[in-house]
């Protein structure tokens, strides 16, 4: 061990998926260099005293829409990663419904450049799955995975860039073939858009039942997304088995429980290479909160037990607090017509405090949180053991949490440009207090101190092979 390290996080309880231990975490040159006994205080240029706190591997958020390029009036890489840093996130993945969308090498390279100049935390970028012929190029350029929107909203307000919706299963299949060749994970928002559209128009829009309450009813009935997503998932799992693509199922928990059964069967009975991410809103956006924020949350937890079961059974591999912000002016008309506004939700800053609150309620352990929000996302997207762990040699990405701190989620405290939170007024118990990326503090005692451009682009596995 070196005589003096750059940073020591001392006196804390260090948590991994396997358990916890009292230790000091020593950092030099942006990497973890040692975990030492609590009484062996190392000489360090800088010390963070984590007495009474828990020291976690840097938490990862794999479902962010930071809206850049193209819609920076909603959010951009600086404001989005600022929100994430405030929420204890050290590494994030950004989605692809931008303008221009990163489906070509040129657009991907441009997005990479923009994000690299503005991000406060490390990031990976999805390549957009639209043209089978560009998939290999995007992989070589460093895409962390390929995202496919197998969906078009009933009124074409999603995925905002309508042409990104791949509803033709022939093209979906060719994309799967192309992604399988790269070895990258293929993340899919599944749907059966025509079915959703027909049912939603028949029973809601054509009957002028379109306000926010009608939308939630339609959603709970499984028309708005819902059953159509499960049908889309069934087709996709079959095509994934044929093409051997490494499928990642988005929006588990948004779908009815049939989705859990399909994923369980594919993973555990058939041995397919499938993972799934679970939205915290599908666990925690209860009826009362959903009614309160109305169109400011596009999904709600109408059957939260399905999500908790998916987590307990291993059907869900990771948790996300989907961050898909829009402006208040865009969303507000949704109180009257919830079917014609862009559908969104916020979560970059709120996600971890919400889940820490559930840890305090005894719904999951900190070890499980680390598994679902650090280790497994890092493994799945090929950045482990650089990220997702506090083992020696890993990037010194560290999230320190105070399980006793209480707060209330409210728009005044949010760093997102969108100017609202879907979790307005929700009390939380357990807060991130330090976010450290490669040894540098980006959030310190609640204050975001990171600088734009510090965040580093992290390429996917296909680029590393080149
Ligand atoms: Zn999304």
């Amino acid at each position: 061990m070196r005589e003096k390290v750059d940073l020591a996080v001392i006196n804390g309880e260090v948590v991994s998926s396997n358990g916890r231990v009292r230790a000091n975490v020593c950092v030099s040159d942006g990497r973890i260099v040692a975990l030492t006994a609590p009484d062996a205080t190392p000489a360090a240029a800088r010390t963070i005293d984590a007495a009474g706190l828990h020291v976690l591997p840097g938490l990862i958020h794999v479902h962010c829409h930071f809206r850049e390029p193209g819609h920076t009036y909603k959010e951009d890489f600086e404001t989005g990663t600022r929100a994430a840093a405030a929420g204890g996130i050290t590494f994030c993945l950004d989605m692809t419904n931008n303008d221009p969308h990163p489906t070509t090498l040129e657009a991907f390279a441009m997005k990479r450049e923009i994000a690299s100049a503005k991000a406060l935390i490390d990031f990976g970028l999805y390549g957009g799955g639209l043209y089978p012929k560009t998939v290999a190029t995007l992989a070589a350029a460093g895409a962390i995975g390929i995202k496919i929107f197998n969906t078009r909203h009933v009124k074409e307000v999603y995925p905002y860039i309508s042409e990104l919706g791949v509803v033709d299963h022939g093209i979906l299949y060719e994309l799967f073939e192309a992604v399988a060749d790269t070895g990258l994970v293929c993340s899919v928002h599944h749907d059966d858009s025509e079915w959703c559209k027909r049912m939603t128009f028949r029973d809601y829009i054509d009957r002028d039942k379109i306000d926010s309450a009608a939308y939630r009813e339609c959603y709970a009935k499984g028309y708005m997304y819902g059953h159509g997503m499960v049908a889309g998932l069934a087709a996709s799992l079959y095509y994934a088995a044929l093409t051997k693509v490494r499928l990642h199922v988005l929006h588990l928990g948004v779908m009815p429980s049939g989705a859990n059964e399909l994923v369980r069967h594919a993973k555990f009975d058939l041995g397919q290479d499938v993972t799934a991410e679970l939205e915290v809103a599908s666990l925690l956006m209860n009826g009362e909160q959903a009614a309160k924020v109305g169109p400011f949350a596009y999904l709600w937890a109408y059957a939260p037990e399905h999500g908790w079961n998916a987590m307990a059974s291993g059907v869900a591999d990771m948790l996300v607090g989907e961050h898909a912000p829009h402006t208040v002016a865009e969303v507000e008309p949704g109180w009257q017509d919830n079917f014609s506004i862009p559908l969104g939700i916020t979560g970059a800053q709120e996600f971890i405090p919400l889940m820490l609150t559930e840890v305090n309620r005894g719904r999951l352990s900190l070890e499980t949180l680390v598994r679902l929000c650090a280790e497994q996302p890092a493994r799945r997207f090929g950045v482990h053991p650089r990220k997702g762990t506090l083992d020696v040699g890993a990037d010194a990405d560290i999230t320190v949490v105070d399980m006793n701190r209480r707060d209330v989620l409210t728009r005044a405290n949010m760093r997102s440009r969108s100017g609202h939170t879907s979790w307005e007024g929700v009390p939380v118990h357990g807060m991130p207090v330090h976010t450290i990326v490669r040894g540098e503090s980006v959030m310190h005692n609640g204050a975001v101190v990171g600088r734009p451009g510090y965040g580093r682009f992290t390429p996917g596995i296909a680029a590393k092979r080149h």
Side-chain angles (χ1 to χ4, degrees):
M1 159 125 189
R2 306 166 193 221
E3 289 193 349
K4 187 173 181 184
V5 298
D6 296 341
L7 168 70
V9 181
I10 61 168
N11 301 324
E13 195 157 63
V14 177
V15 183
S16 74
S17 64
N18 297 320
R20 47 187 81 189
V21 59
R22 288 209 166 274
N24 299 328
V25 181
C26 302
V27 174
S28 275
D29 301 324
R31 301 278 186 118
I32 309 280
V33 292
L35 269 70
T36 65
D39 53 354
T41 308
R46 195 164 71 92
T47 298
I48 290 176
D49 188 353
L53 308 176
H54 292 88
V55 181
L56 318 183
L59 299 174
I60 295 175
H61 192 331
V62 299
H63 200 129
C64 298
H65 298 261
F66 289 148
R67 305 302 189 204
E68 188 165 19
H71 307 104
T72 50
Y73 65 96
K74 302 176 199 262
E75 193 79 285
D76 67 23
F77 264 91
E78 182 176 337
T79 55
T81 56
R82 194 175 289 282
I89 305 295
T90 58
F91 179 63
C92 61
L93 303 191
D94 194 64
M95 293 296 183
T96 59
N97 44 345
N98 310 120
D99 185 12
H101 36 78
T103 51
T104 63
L105 178 60
E106 191 184 20
F108 185 86
M110 182 184 114
K111 180 170 176 177
R112 172 181 172 170
E113 199 173 312
I114 293 169
S116 298
K118 296 175 92 168
L120 279 75
I121 64 172
D122 287 356
F123 62 94
L125 298 178
Y126 270 110
L130 181 61
Y131 312 116
K133 283 183 180 163
T134 63
V135 165
T137 323
L138 296 172
I144 198 109
I146 299 293
K147 161 80 184 266
I148 300 175
F149 293 90
N150 169 222
T151 183
R152 281 197 186 193
H153 178 270
V154 294
K155 286 195 162 186
E156 303 276 330
V157 298
Y158 189 80
Y160 317 119
I161 312 291
S162 273
E163 68 190 90
L164 269 177
V166 176
V167 294
D168 179 325
H169 279 169
I171 298 175
L172 182 75
Y173 187 88
E174 288 187 350
L175 284 165
F176 279 7
E177 289 179 322
V179 183
D181 282 346
T182 67
L184 290 180
V185 166
C186 191
S187 298
V188 184
H189 174 145
H190 296 99
D191 202 359
D192 180 345
S193 298
E194 292 306 319
W195 185 89
C196 286
K197 196 173 196 170
R198 192 168 185 90
M199 296 303 122
T200 303
F201 269 91
R202 187 188 73 183
D203 290 1
Y204 288 90
I205 297 174
D206 287 347
R207 295 179 185 201
D208 213 26
K209 289 167 68 178
I210 55 173
D211 67 9
S212 178
Y215 170 87
R216 282 195 303 287
E217 185 190 299
C218 178
Y219 183 92
K221 213 167 170 177
Y223 286 176
M224 192 67 210
Y225 299 127
H227 300 305
M229 292 182 91
V230 182
L233 171 64
S236 171
L237 282 167
Y238 186 65
Y239 292 139
L242 294 178
T243 56
K244 305 269 191 297
V245 75
R246 305 175 65 212
L247 185 68
H248 181 62
V249 178
L250 304 173
H251 304 298
L252 195 73
V254 177
M255 296 181 259
S257 64
N260 290 355
E261 184 50 32
L262 287 171
V263 174
R264 189 203 62 71
H265 178 62
K267 281 173 85 165
F268 301 131
D269 296 340
L270 304 179
Q272 272 183 249
D273 187 353
V274 177
T275 48
E277 64 181 47
L278 184 65
E279 305 226 8
V280 294
S282 71
L283 304 173
L284 303 177
M285 180 61 69
N286 62 30
E288 191 186 338
Q289 183 68 14
K292 181 176 154 188
V293 300
F296 289 90
Y298 85 92
L299 68 113
W300 66 284
Y302 68 94
E305 65 279 8
H306 298 327
W308 290 107
N309 288 342
M311 199 194 296
S313 64
V315 165
D317 301 272
M318 54 195 90
L319 280 166
V320 300
E322 180 172 14
H323 188 68
H326 302 285
T327 65
V328 172
E330 288 173 313
V331 178
E332 199 72 42
W335 289 105
Q336 282 77 46
D337 179 3
N338 211 149
F339 293 94
S340 298
I341 59 156
L343 302 178
I345 192 160
T346 66
Q349 189 174 340
E350 303 96 316
F351 162 37
I352 296 304
L354 286 165
M355 288 316 298
L356 293 175
T357 304
E358 297 307 301
V359 171
N360 268 324
R361 286 188 180 131
R363 295 299 302 264
L364 75 164
S365 65
L366 269 180
E367 286 84 347
T368 299
L369 183 83
V370 166
R371 184 166 55 82
L372 296 173
C373 301
E375 291 186 6
Q376 292 192 165
R379 285 184 197 281
R380 185 56 167 166
F381 291 97
V383 297
H384 191 275
R386 278 290 294 273
K387 299 194 178 292
T389 171
L390 292 178
D391 287 349
V392 170
D395 280 354
D397 294 351
I398 304 167
T399 303
V400 181
V401 301
D402 182 347
M403 294 305 292
N404 295 315
R405 189 172 291 199
R406 292 176 187 271
D407 202 354
V408 176
L409 300 174
T410 184
R411 63 175 64 184
N413 297 334
M414 293 295 129
R415 267 73 165 197
S416 167
R417 178 168 290 151
S418 64
H420 63 85
T421 167
S422 306
W423 304 92
E424 183 64 44
V426 173
V428 289
H429 181 194
M431 292 285 288
V433 289
H434 297 286
T435 307
I436 298 164
V437 177
R438 286 176 284 107
E440 296 290 328
S441 289
V442 292
M443 186 271 279
H444 189 83
N445 280 329
V448 177
V449 296
R451 63 182 169 76
Y454 176 73
R456 189 180 284 173
F457 173 75
T458 303
I461 54 165
K464 283 177 195 154
R465 283 206 299 258
H466 286 260

